Amino acid sequence: MENYTSIDDFHLLPYFLHSKDKSIIFLALLLTYIFGLVWNCLIIIVIYMDPRLHVPLYLFLSNLSLVDICYIMVTIPKLLHMLVTRNISVSRSLCLTQLGFFILVASTEIALLTSMAFDRYVAICKPLHYHCIMNRRRCLLILVLSWVSAAVNATLITSITSITPWSSLRTIHHFFCDLKALAKISSNGLGFQLVLYIESLIIGVLAFAIILMSYVKIFKIVLLITFSDGQRKAFSTCSSHLMVLFMFYGVGVCVYIRPLTQNTEELDQIFSLFYILVTPTLNPLIYSLSNKEVHGALLKIMTRCTRKSSVAF
């Protein structure tokens, strides 16, 4: 069958599409993709199966793993398909759908990371009132608000993008329909860039300010603790979250805060690939390896499965 390309189609152009090492790149992406999906699914299963982990922090963590799964599935399958078939065209509707889902999961992750920072603040600074403040009903309300507000934000940005006039050049120098990459082919690039910066300012910077204030108060309390074991325990409860924050915001700043210049496409794609594949793959590893409770629950379930399989044979 022949491939027909509509005049409304966009053309994705990853910088490594015509690389001589395309098969190696495909294999590396595929293995990382599978590993990220499996490990995030495992975290969700472990938290669901272990009653000791049915607390606010791990409720947020299981949702974070769900978001990371969505991150990977929204973008990577299309990239793998392009590497195999070299079909770089994507319809306008599919491009907007991909953009919408990407903004949805990105906005939800920002809300979840902010909620987890607040949870750590309450646990360390107000330990006697923790179960009253972070009760199950309130946690579920926070999760619902996180997803709903992210959906509203994604709908708003996608709607603005859908009515944006495009230039005659429909080639997107990226491996998915990213907002910054779309801004470069917009006829109203300056206005689109303004939307991008307002989006980053309201969503990212405001959330980061809340996180920063939470950790400033946490560190003040921790420094007042006189015994070293107490300080060590307090820092250990925050270390995983801090590592995820540094990766998420560090790469996010590199991708979206830098100006729209023509000589940064390759760098944007490298940072974006780290942002949507490597970071979601590393997140569950960070939480499972440095968190004793998750680590213990994971070992317990693996031991139980091993015993069942040995009995079956």
Side-chain angles (χ1 to χ4, degrees):
M1 296 179 64
E2 295 184 19
N3 292 326
Y4 293 96
T5 303
S6 169
I7 58 173
D8 290 329
D9 286 354
F10 295 106
H11 302 284
L12 297 172
L13 191 61
Y15 78 93
F16 49 79
L17 184 64
H18 302 293
S19 172
K20 294 180 180 179
D21 301 323
K22 192 177 67 172
S23 57
I24 297 175
I25 293 173
F26 173 83
L27 184 61
L29 289 174
L30 179 62
L31 292 176
T32 309
Y33 170 73
I34 295 172
F35 183 79
L37 289 180
V38 170
W39 201 251
N40 277 290
C41 287
L42 190 59
I43 289 293
I44 295 174
I45 293 170
V46 166
I47 293 174
Y48 176 78
M49 293 183 64
D50 195 328
R52 296 175 302 173
L53 300 181
H54 293 177
V55 294
L57 176 63
Y58 299 109
L59 182 62
F60 293 135
L61 178 57
S62 61
N63 273 264
L64 184 64
S65 289
L66 177 61
V67 167
D68 287 337
I69 290 171
C70 295
Y71 254 126
I72 299 172
M73 295 189 68
V74 164
T75 53
I76 301 302
K78 176 59 179 176
L79 175 57
L80 294 174
H81 178 263
M82 283 192 296
L83 288 172
V84 172
T85 64
R86 298 202 177 203
N87 181 11
I88 62 173
S89 65
V90 57
S91 67
R92 183 172 177 271
S93 59
L94 183 59
C95 186
L96 292 174
T97 301
Q98 188 182 53
L99 174 67
F101 276 107
F102 178 76
I103 295 174
L104 170 65
V105 294
S107 302
T108 305
E109 180 152 6
I110 291 172
L112 288 175
L113 291 175
T114 307
S115 302
M116 293 170 78
F118 178 74
D119 176 78
R120 293 300 83 201
Y121 159 73
V122 176
I124 295 174
C125 300
K126 300 180 182 294
L128 298 179
H129 303 284
Y130 178 77
H131 293 290
C132 179
I133 297 174
M134 299 300 293
N135 55 60
R136 184 173 181 82
R137 181 179 178 182
R138 189 162 294 165
C139 290
L140 290 175
L141 179 61
I142 291 173
L143 287 175
V144 170
L145 288 176
S146 298
W147 283 95
V148 170
S149 60
V152 171
N153 179 54
T155 302
L156 178 63
I157 298 300
T158 308
S159 300
I160 293 173
T161 307
S162 65
I163 60 175
T164 298
W166 305 104
S167 64
S168 57
L169 298 175
R170 295 299 184 95
T171 301
I172 303 172
H173 291 273
H174 216 302
F175 56 86
F176 75 104
C177 293
D178 181 54
L179 191 62
K180 185 176 180 180
L182 285 170
K184 294 181 179 180
I185 63 169
S186 169
S187 298
N188 186 19
L190 184 60
F192 214 60
Q193 185 178 10
L194 183 61
V195 170
L196 179 62
Y197 281 126
I198 292 175
E199 165 82 0
S200 301
L201 184 65
I202 295 176
I203 304 298
V205 177
L206 180 61
F208 183 76
I210 296 173
I211 293 169
L212 187 61
M213 287 189 292
S214 298
Y215 272 104
V216 167
K217 293 181 178 181
I218 288 172
F219 290 143
K220 284 182 178 179
I221 295 295
V222 170
L223 292 175
L224 294 175
I225 300 175
T226 54
F227 52 98
S228 59
D229 287 342
Q231 287 185 339
R232 192 180 300 111
K233 185 178 180 180
F235 277 120
S236 65
T237 60
C238 300
S239 59
S240 301
H241 185 244
L242 283 171
M243 291 176 67
V244 172
L245 279 174
F246 285 138
M247 286 195 305
F248 182 83
Y249 275 97
V251 180
V253 167
C254 292
V255 174
Y256 295 106
I257 301 301
R258 291 185 301 113
L260 292 175
T261 55
Q262 294 299 319
N263 57 351
T264 61
E265 282 94 357
E266 292 187 8
L267 200 58
D268 282 344
Q269 291 183 48
I270 292 171
F271 281 127
S272 294
L273 192 60
F274 190 91
Y275 190 76
I276 66 170
L277 181 60
V278 179
T279 299
T281 303
L282 290 178
N283 284 350
L285 281 174
I286 292 170
Y287 276 105
S288 61
L289 295 179
S290 60
N291 189 299
K292 292 182 179 180
E293 292 179 326
V294 175
H295 192 211
L298 183 59
L299 288 176
K300 183 179 178 181
I301 292 175
M302 291 177 66
T303 302
R304 188 188 306 168
C305 293
T306 305
R307 287 177 180 174
K308 287 183 179 180
S309 61
S310 62
V311 169
F313 282 106

